Structure formats: structure tokens, C-alpha cells
Amino acid sequence: MSDEFEDHRRLLLGLGYRMTGSMWDAEDLVQEAYLRWRRTDRSQVRDVRAFLMTVVSRLALDQLRSARAKREIYPGPWLPEPVATGALDPLDSAELRDTVSYATMHLLERLSPPERAVFLLREAFALPYDRIAEMLDLTAGACRQMHHRATRRLAGGPDRYQPSADEHREILTRFLAAARSGDMAQLTALLAEDVTAWNDGGGKVRAALRPVRGRDNVLAFVAGLVARYPIGRAEIVEVNGSVAMRLSIDGGEQVFAASVRDGRIHELFAVLNPDKLRHVDPGTG
């Protein structure tokens, strides 16, 4: 009984994480799904994978609806929890990797809970609309419309054709070196004109309470930050299927990720909330 569930645990964690943006919440959802599985008459279950995905999807929808109210009063921007790539479900397709990238996870916050569920079940897991409709207790037509609406709302987001890991690593390393040395010319060359910097301290760590938008504003923000709080230890980590950096600044830890297109950084994400750093591995290089 438990073996069948364990065979699907990583899949369910990946689904729960994509749905909620929180591995903490995903673990709770999977545990609740396990308890429900134990109470289920297995003779009535034709497809274990579909059954368990349905349970987790519906639990995640309920959780997301309650979380939206909490995020409205969250102190400053709410960012997804970065998770070490090795702790996620196998990213053995472009769709699975795309839908768990940090920039995409952030972008998914634009969607309503049902739109997010439909989009992920369709894009990440390639389920047909009729199956998604059964899982979410909707009609296939409604699911099709939600998917199209979600796709439009996410238009202009992260490009599937991301730089290679080596290119991404090089840009992050150059950005860090330029920030440390105060090389404004190099920083300017690395940042897109419409760059936005997001900081999540969760009210527990000092952080910008609003997004910093535009290259000039981001340059001033970074320069002021490193002048006041010099960057200590820095190491490369792999989170959400891509490279990021784990930094020590002013005695605190943070994970720093970036969305890179055409050799320039379009979004910077700094997660300082210590509650969101427990699933990040120590540096790998």
C-alpha cells in the first residue's frame, strides 16, 4: 500500500511545489494525500497516478485560495521558495524544467488558483483537457479557456530558450564581481534597461518592501546595498533547474537568482527570508 504511494512521492511533491511555490506547503499536501490514500478502498482506484495527482491538485487549490489572502498582507514582495534541483522531481523534459524555473514560478503568481492548476497540469504533465476537467471538477471547455487565458497572461515571460548553465553561471559571477568592486560600467552592461529587482525578507530580514524597477534605480540600489553591507561568502548553487548564488551579507544568508535573456539580466530575485532557505543545498562549485 505505502510502496505504491512512495513510487509517486517525488511526482506529487513536484506538483505541489509548482502549484504553491512552497516546498513546505507541498510536503504538507503530500502528507495529507498519503493519509487519504491509506483510507481509500484501492479496489475503486483504476489509475493510482491520476488518483493521487487529483488529490494533491484539489488540496493545492484549497491551499492557494487561503494563501492569496495571506500574501496580500505579506511584508514586501512574496517570492517562491528556492529548492535545490536534486530535491525536485526528475526534470527529464523541457516542460518539466520550464515550469519549475525560478522566473516561471514567480510569474505563475499572476494566475488565479484554477488557472495555475490547469496551466501546470497541461504544460508540465501534458494531460488532456478532459482528464484535467475530471481532476479539478470542471468542464473540458472551461479548462481549455483557462489554459489559453493563462498563456496570454504569461506572455512576455521567461523565454524557453534560456542560456546554458555555463553562460548563466558566468553572468551571475560577473554581476557579483562588478557589484563587489563597484564597477558601474560592467553592471550597466549586464542589466537590461527594464530590469526589476525583487527582495523577499518576509518581515524577518531587512529588505526592499517594493520592487526596484528600471536599470538606473537597480544600479543605485545595488551600489547602496554593497556599500553598506559588503558581500561575504558567495557560492554557486543549483536551484529550480538552474544556477543561482548563495550569499552571506551582513551576517545573513540569501539566495540570489536571475532571469537572463540575450546576455542581459531582466529580473533579479533575492530571497532573504530564512524560512525559505531550508531546501537549498550548500554550494556545488
Side-chain angles (χ1 to χ4, degrees), residues 81-134:
E81 179 183 354
V83 176
T85 299
L88 296 167
D89 51 310
L91 304 180
D92 51 8
S93 72
E95 291 75 19
L96 285 169
R97 185 169 289 273
D98 291 342
T99 54
V100 83
S101 77
Y102 199 83
T104 298
M105 291 291 296
H106 177 249
L107 204 58
L108 288 172
E109 292 297 309
R110 295 182 183 181
L111 305 180
S112 70
E115 287 173 345
R116 184 167 181 156
V118 169
F119 179 82
L120 288 170
L121 291 170
R122 180 70 173 171
E123 293 291 318
F125 302 99
L127 297 180
Y129 289 119
D130 56 350
R131 175 61 65 86
I132 297 172
E134 291 177 11

Side-chain angles (χ1 to χ4, degrees), residues 37-79:
W37 172 247
R38 291 192 62 182
R39 298 193 297 265
T40 297
D41 179 358
R42 242 76 66 211
S43 66
Q44 302 300 310
V45 178
R46 297 192 306 273
D47 184 333
V48 174
R49 180 177 184 270
F51 174 85
L52 293 174
M53 288 182 70
T54 298
V55 172
V56 170
S57 296
R58 292 183 178 183
L59 289 171
L61 277 176
D62 292 341
Q63 197 281 334
L64 269 180
R65 291 184 176 110
S66 64
R68 285 172 74 87
K70 295 177 184 177
R71 291 175 191 177
E72 288 177 1
I73 59 173
Y74 191 82
W78 186 95
L79 293 177

Side-chain angles (χ1 to χ4, degrees), residues 148-160:
H148 291 166
R149 187 161 60 242
T151 302
R152 287 197 303 271
R153 295 189 70 181
L154 299 182
D159 192 335
R160 170 168 295 182

Side-chain angles (χ1 to χ4, degrees), residues 118 129 132-134 136 138-148:
V118 169
Y129 289 119
I132 297 172
E134 291 177 11
L136 304 180
L138 298 167
T139 66
C143 290
R144 186 176 291 105
Q145 290 178 357
M146 285 185 187
H147 181 259
H148 291 166

Side-chain angles (χ1 to χ4, degrees), residues 259-278:
S259 172
V260 176
R261 297 197 301 275
D262 300 322
R264 290 180 180 264
I265 295 172
H266 287 254
E267 287 187 292
L268 295 166
F269 307 102
V271 181
L272 297 84
N273 185 343
D275 292 343
K276 293 186 176 183
L277 300 180
R278 67 192 187 97

Side-chain angles (χ1 to χ4, degrees), residues 17 21-28 74-75 78-84 102 200-206 246 252-255 270-280:
Y17 173 65
S22 165
M23 186 59 84
W24 187 297
D25 289 332
E27 289 171 339
D28 286 346
Y74 191 82
W78 186 95
L79 293 177
E81 179 183 354
V83 176
Y102 199 83
D200 181 347
K204 300 183 177 185
V205 178
R206 188 189 302 272
R246 185 164 191 160
E253 296 287 313
Q254 67 174 263
V255 168
V271 181
L272 297 84
N273 185 343
D275 292 343
K276 293 186 176 183
L277 300 180
R278 67 192 187 97
H279 282 102
V280 179

